[in-house]
Amino acid sequence: AMVQYARQGLDELIDDGVDLLLCNYHEALMYTETDSIEAALAKLQQKSKYTVITLSAEGALISDSEQTLKVPGRAVTAVDANGAGDAFAGAFLYALNAGLSLKVAAELAILISSEVVSQFGPRLSVENYKELLNNFQKECA
């Protein structure tokens, strides 16, 4: 709804460029007024150093000035999408702040957000987050 109802404010906010744009597939198409994810990504790249577009079960596209990566999603049974975008954004920013690469940050964000959609409610318990992070760190080591 932000894109639909606050378009002028968003334009003003990111007009001079930003470091990171993070949006979902529908927001990307709506904001860029395009009909393909490739065209939307090309337009968003002009406004941001890093662009992340979530693709629901298909994963995410992550782009910087040198490359675009498609990070695959995880197979889960989605029961409630409430909170998925916030979970993705939070995990992605956590990983970047921890010094992880864009790809690894997206992998963690996909893990966390896919777990959120596989249950009712917008967030996991603190114990679930800790367990997922510990298992993720072991897999990456």
Side-chain angles (χ1 to χ4, degrees), residues 111-123:
L111 171 67
I112 298 296
S113 60
S114 68
E115 289 295 317
V116 168
V117 301
S118 68
Q119 56 143 43
F120 287 104
R123 65 186 65 84

Side-chain angles (χ1 to χ4, degrees), residues 52-128:
V52 179
I53 302 174
T54 61
L55 306 172
S56 298
E58 300 301 314
L61 287 176
I62 292 85
S63 178
D64 63 19
S65 61
E66 297 175 12
Q67 63 181 340
T68 298
L69 304 169
K70 183 169 187 306
V71 181
R74 293 180 65 236
V76 298
T77 300
V79 296
D80 184 1
N82 188 21
D86 290 340
F88 184 99
F92 188 83
L93 293 171
Y94 166 85
L96 287 184
N97 190 54
L100 302 176
S101 71
L102 291 171
K103 181 179 182 290
V104 173
E107 290 170 347
L108 178 62
I110 288 167
L111 171 67
I112 298 296
S113 60
S114 68
E115 289 295 317
V116 168
V117 301
S118 68
Q119 56 143 43
F120 287 104
R123 65 186 65 84
L124 304 173
S125 69
V126 172
E127 293 78 23
N128 286 87

Side-chain angles (χ1 to χ4, degrees), residues 12-92:
E12 292 171 6
L13 183 67
I14 66 174
D15 189 45
D16 292 333
V18 294
D19 290 333
L20 173 66
L21 275 175
L22 199 154
C23 58
N24 67 39
Y25 175 87
H26 299 293
E27 292 164 337
L29 295 180
M30 187 182 295
Y31 182 76
T32 60
E33 299 175 329
T34 59
D35 58 4
S36 77
I37 200 63
E38 295 80 15
L41 180 61
K43 283 190 168 188
L44 293 173
Q45 287 172 316
Q46 296 172 9
K47 298 197 174 276
S48 180
K49 182 176 178 180
Y50 303 104
T51 304
V52 179
I53 302 174
T54 61
L55 306 172
S56 298
E58 300 301 314
L61 287 176
I62 292 85
S63 178
D64 63 19
S65 61
E66 297 175 12
Q67 63 181 340
T68 298
L69 304 169
K70 183 169 187 306
V71 181
R74 293 180 65 236
V76 298
T77 300
V79 296
D80 184 1
N82 188 21
D86 290 340
F88 184 99
F92 188 83

